[in-house]
Amino acid sequence: MCDNCQNHNHAGTATMTKEANPVLPTPHKIIDIIKETATEWTFRMENHLPIEDGQFMQLSIPRVGEAPISVSGYGDGWCDFTIRNVGKVTNELFNLRKGDTIFMRGAYGHGWPVAKFAKKNMLVIAGGTGVAPIKTLVEKFFANPEAYGDIYLIFGFKDAESILFRQTIDKWKEAPNFHAIYTLDRDQYQDWETGLVTKFVERVPFADFGDNYECVVVGPPVMMKFATMSLGEAGIPDEKIWVSYERNMSCGIGKCGHCRIDSTYVCVDGPVFNYAFAKNLND
């Protein structure tokens, strides 16, 4: 645990018990594979391990390696991982088929502070594969409209071929308390906007919220940098911004040090942080 835990309001404790071996993977069968894009597939896995919104798991293939992957969906007896084919382990995963086995361990880290979001108006800004770590959180907003205020979504993708979870995000757009802005960096596409996510922050009526709101930002590091800057320029206090930092995680339990920044271990103390703390995490 880092020396500054009191500064970033952890969402809860990791789900692993002291009695369990925290790095022992167990086999899980692939229930289904959904090809979201040419390079990003969702693997639906058999699963009975406990999960909190915003946590990640370590997925592994014997004699190949393992990789930390955010949970993009979960339910009774299953969980989803939306994976981009960018490396040795993920390339091997893309050679697997329904019915094959993947080894998993976790879930690890601190997720979104869901209890803190109750009855709040919410702004969620996500870019590209950053939509995956917030998908279960937004599904919770969608399924329980009476528990939250108005939900504002600003999602950005590079182009039309990069859009993830098409049916799901279309469903969200139709919810009465949802206000969705979906944009492509450059492309023109159906009723979508064109431009970076930062362009649309000014459309969020923060003045109508009073103090009753929270913001979530997830995406590539450059996108997160400028999105949080845009929120700051709009007068949003750092304490009302939550981010997910998924950088260099390896062991998942704070032992290998790959993700350490000063005294903070991203895999244990994060990946979700309050921005008032996270803005000082510099490599």
Side-chain angles (χ1 to χ4, degrees):
M1 197 58 85
C2 73
D3 295 334
N4 296 297
C5 288
Q6 69 273 17
N7 291 332
H8 52 99
N9 296 326
H10 286 324
T13 58
T15 53
M16 300 301 295
T17 65
K18 290 182 179 179
E19 292 77 14
N21 182 341
V23 294
L24 179 66
T26 54
H28 300 254
K29 284 189 177 181
I30 301 173
I31 298 173
D32 198 7
I33 298 175
I34 301 102
K35 297 182 179 179
E36 309 281 358
T37 73
T39 57
E40 290 144 332
W41 297 0
T42 294
F43 291 75
R44 177 156 292 185
M45 307 297 303
E46 290 181 345
N47 178 61
H48 296 284
L49 301 171
I51 298 170
E52 296 175 7
D53 300 306
Q55 289 188 308
F56 68 97
M57 288 194 180
Q58 293 284 151
L59 273 57
S60 61
I61 300 175
R63 297 184 298 277
V64 176
E66 67 176 1
I69 307 292
S70 296
V71 177
S72 61
Y74 63 89
D76 186 16
W78 62 272
C79 67
D80 287 347
F81 301 94
T82 302
I83 301 171
R84 175 178 288 174
N85 188 358
V86 293
K88 183 177 71 171
V89 177
T90 54
N91 181 66
E92 194 65 30
L93 287 171
F94 272 55
N95 289 324
L96 299 178
R97 296 293 179 264
K98 180 178 176 179
D100 288 343
T101 296
I102 297 175
F103 284 77
M104 294 163 38
R105 59 183 178 92
Y108 295 120
H110 289 84
W112 303 109
V114 176
K116 188 176 182 66
F117 296 161
K119 303 300 182 181
K120 298 285 183 68
N121 300 297
M122 297 295 306
L123 168 62
V124 181
I125 304 176
T129 53
V131 177
I134 56 84
K135 183 169 173 283
T136 65
L137 177 66
V138 179
E139 283 280 70
K140 190 160 286 182
F141 297 157
F142 179 83
N144 303 280
E146 72 287 345
Y148 305 94
D150 283 343
I151 310 298
Y152 286 78
L153 307 178
I154 304 177
F155 290 173
F157 297 94
K158 183 175 65 174
D159 51 40
E161 288 70 39
S162 304
I163 299 171
L164 297 175
F165 315 124
R166 290 174 184 254
Q167 291 184 340
T168 300
I169 65 176
D170 284 346
K171 173 189 70 176
W172 292 341
K173 198 170 187 177
E174 300 304 317
N177 65 324
F178 273 54
H179 310 271
I181 299 171
Y182 301 152
T183 184
L184 303 179
D185 291 353
R186 296 178 297 275
D187 279 9
Q188 302 287 331
Y189 179 68
Q190 295 181 355
D191 59 346
W192 284 49
E193 303 278 358
T194 301
L196 303 178
V197 292
T198 51
K199 174 182 176 181
F200 304 99
V201 170
E202 63 183 21
R203 294 193 188 179
V204 181
F206 290 110
D208 297 340
F209 297 161
D211 192 50
N212 190 40
Y213 68 93
E214 300 286 337
C215 303
V216 167
V217 180
V218 189
V222 172
M223 169 260 165
M224 293 178 67
K225 173 183 176 181
F226 286 100
T228 51
M229 285 175 57
S230 295
L231 290 173
E233 291 167 0
I236 309 306
D238 294 338
E239 292 77 10
K240 287 193 168 293
I241 304 172
W242 300 85
V243 296
S244 181
Y245 282 4
E246 299 180 1
R247 45 90 61 208
N248 298 334
M249 294 188 298
S250 184
C251 70
I253 60 171
K255 297 300 182 182
C256 72
H258 286 189
C259 67
R260 181 178 176 179
I261 306 174
D262 295 325
S263 60
T264 298
Y265 292 83
V266 174
C267 68
V268 176
D269 303 315
V272 171
F273 295 97
N274 186 264
Y275 187 61
F277 178 84
K279 69 178 182 180
N280 298 312
L281 294 177
N282 298 312
D283 288 314

